Amino acid sequence: MATDGGGREGGDRGVEAEGSRRNAVYMCGYLPGASPEKPPMLSPTPVRDPAGGDSWKDVFGGGCGFAMAVSDSGKLITWGSADDEGQSYMTSGKHGDTPEPFPLPTQALVLKAAAGWAHCITVTEPGETYTWGWKECVPSSKLISDLAFVGSFQKEAFIRQSSSLSEQVSPRSQATSPNSGTVSQLNDRKVVEETVKRRKVSSAKQENESLTPGEETFAPSPCLVTLGPGVRITTVAAGGRHSLALSVSDVGQVWGWGYGGEGQLGLGSKIKMVSSPHLIPCIQTPNPGKDGTLTSSQGSISSGLQTPKMPGNYVRGIACGGRHSAVITDTGALLTFGWGLYGQTLPRLLECPEWKGRQVKTVSSGARHNAVLTEDGQVFSWGWNKYGQLGLGDSVDRNIPSQVPIDGCLPRNVACGWWHTLLLAEVSV
């Protein structure tokens, strides 16, 4: 998950005060489809400019196996997936390691973008929202059947099993030296890739058998999200299998849809599937109807929900984790909801000696790692680092923030994908 960012002032960071400048994108970590034969990038590495001579405007992380950014001409740029990468290919196109525009059914400029495990969501200049990828994350006029849910749960179980195999690396061997960690990663990844290939056939067979006739797992074509007349979206956030959208036309309210089995849609109960966007009552309690259900401009939400009033008049920021969500009100109040088994709903102040005297400007979270950008242009990261996604030059996990060494550029924004991190920076030319 990530807070809104981009286009900010910062420290010098080695960039000359005079002369022309341009935006560049750096990446660290691992994109399976972009370079399957290459080791993970342990330090921030320049990404080639978008195809067609375009330049970079902002970065938005990406999902499992693909990266996302927006070009200066307002096009959504994706890269990282190949045609043998399954869900990544369906979600972001066959672009390999070449950043290319992703086709949208509109010529409007893309302002914001977000990605979950295998779904994407964008906001265009007119305030319209498009989404595609895993079908349960794409609003529809009907609920997905229970059989379809069985199929999606089988997919998730398969992914979890593959992920657990990829993490079976001795922490002691990782801590010995960067080189030994890299070799271990490569051997480990080969084992996982072979396991994934063996299981793809059986998994696909199970999934197809569990889907109803005509039902598909993916919606590869971007679909316009209908929120009602006059609703204009300003920013979006994507979790593992759910999405949030923040609108300004209804005084800063939040809309949510997708999978809500852990309460990440903030509707007061664990609803497995919300197939159309609904208002999330973050600020004040909606009026219950005669039958006890709560109503909004888009219909009933749930029964028996009692949402206390929170400080503030509107929501000004949203974020999604894999199975939880967070919103910030105009008074700075933080609301979290969803899965909290590992303390995701228990915020605490993060102590970091190197942050003393600095203000954090942007924070972003990937699958299991975090990154922040401070006001003076410093980047810090911590968490899971198996694929070098922390950009610290090794593959050793960190439980406290560590400064990312970046010279000769001025960081403007940082965004975490699932196994990678993107950095937008200003460089002199």
Side-chain angles (χ1 to χ4, degrees):
M1 65 180 179
T3 62
D4 193 8
R8 55 188 57 82
E9 297 298 324
D12 183 34
R13 298 293 294 159
V15 179
E16 297 179 4
E18 297 181 358
S20 59
R21 300 178 180 179
R22 68 178 182 88
N23 285 334
V25 169
Y26 295 82
M27 181 174 68
C28 54
Y30 178 53
L31 295 179
S35 54
E37 75 287 351
K38 299 178 182 178
M41 291 171 282
L42 303 182
S43 299
T45 304
V47 177
R48 67 178 67 181
D49 289 339
D54 207 346
S55 56
W56 299 106
K57 183 178 181 180
D58 210 347
V59 291
F60 295 101
C64 177
F66 65 94
M68 294 178 66
V70 171
S71 71
D72 199 50
S73 63
K75 295 179 181 178
L76 178 68
I77 306 295
T78 60
W79 70 97
S81 60
D83 54 3
D84 63 346
E85 288 299 321
Q87 61 192 26
S88 296
Y89 168 69
M90 294 292 290
T91 306
S92 64
K94 181 184 176 182
H95 293 169
D97 60 356
T98 303
E100 295 182 1
F102 185 88
L104 293 175
T106 177
Q107 297 299 318
L109 303 182
V110 174
L111 300 181
K112 302 289 182 181
W117 177 271
H119 77 284
C120 301
I121 181 170
T122 64
V123 177
T124 63
E125 191 173 43
E128 293 181 331
T129 298
Y130 292 86
T131 187
W132 65 98
W134 268 3
K135 196 167 184 179
E136 62 183 354
C137 301
V138 178
S140 64
S141 58
K142 63 184 183 66
L143 290 174
I144 295 180
S145 66
D146 290 338
L147 288 177
F149 267 111
V150 173
S152 65
F153 288 147
Q154 288 172 341
K155 174 185 284 289
E156 185 181 38
F158 159 66
I159 293 171
R160 285 201 305 268
Q161 292 168 357
S162 300
S163 177
S164 65
L165 285 175
S166 69
E167 295 170 31
Q168 292 176 2
V169 180
S170 170
R172 182 175 301 175
S173 66
Q174 283 190 345
T176 54
S177 70
N179 291 333
S180 65
T182 301
V183 173
S184 177
Q185 292 167 2
L186 292 174
N187 293 335
D188 226 35
R189 190 166 72 253
K190 289 179 181 178
V191 174
V192 175
E193 288 172 352
E194 289 300 321
T195 304
V196 169
K197 289 179 181 178
R198 289 197 300 268
R199 294 185 180 182
K200 271 185 178 179
V201 176
S202 59
S203 177
K205 181 178 179 181
Q206 292 175 347
E207 191 170 287
N208 290 336
E209 290 175 351
S210 64
L211 296 178
T212 57
E215 202 80 61
E216 297 179 355
T217 305
F218 285 90
S221 299
C223 302
L224 178 65
V225 179
T226 303
L227 296 175
V231 177
R232 182 174 178 270
I233 297 299
T234 57
T235 191
V236 290
R241 296 159 60 192
H242 72 289
S243 300
L244 298 183
L246 177 62
S247 62
V248 293
S249 23
D250 49 15
V251 198
Q253 293 201 7
V254 183
W255 303 73
W257 66 92
Y259 179 75
E262 281 82 30
Q264 59 265 56
L265 294 180
L267 301 179
S269 60
K270 298 180 179 180
I271 303 174
K272 284 187 176 181
M273 185 64 191
V274 176
S275 61
S276 60
H278 280 69
L279 282 172
I280 298 177
C282 299
I283 301 298
Q284 54 185 323
T285 306
N287 295 322
K290 294 181 179 179
D291 58 354
T293 62
L294 298 174
T295 59
S296 70
S297 59
Q298 294 295 304
S300 63
I301 298 178
S302 62
S303 60
L305 173 61
Q306 295 295 323
T307 305
K309 290 185 177 182
M310 299 301 296
N313 299 310
Y314 60 90
V315 173
R316 66 177 179 88
I318 57 176
C320 290
R323 300 183 183 184
H324 67 287
S325 305
V327 301
I328 300 176
T329 71
D330 59 319
T331 60
L334 172 67
L335 292 74
T336 62
F337 41 95
W339 203 35
L341 181 62
Y342 297 103
Q344 303 98 309
T345 59
L346 299 174
R348 66 181 180 87
L349 182 63
L350 184 62
E351 299 291 344
C352 177
E354 295 185 68
W355 283 359
K356 189 174 182 180
R358 291 191 172 104
Q359 295 292 320
V360 173
K361 185 68 176 180
T362 302
V363 59
S364 181
S365 297
R368 301 177 187 180
H369 73 288
N370 310 285
V372 300
L373 173 65
T374 63
E375 289 273 9
D376 61 348
Q378 307 287 334
V379 178
F380 296 83
S381 61
W382 69 99
W384 190 47
N385 194 33
K386 179 180 177 62
Y387 298 111
Q389 54 266 52
L390 299 185
L392 300 174
D394 56 39
S395 58
V396 180
D397 297 345
R398 305 293 202 283
N399 58 11
I400 60 173
S402 300
Q403 186 171 350
V404 179
I406 303 173
D407 297 320
C409 65
L410 174 62
R412 293 296 191 181
N413 195 16
V414 64
C416 295
W418 287 84
W419 298 338
H420 67 278
T421 303
L422 298 180
L423 173 68
L424 180 75
E426 194 175 89
V427 298
S428 59
V429 294

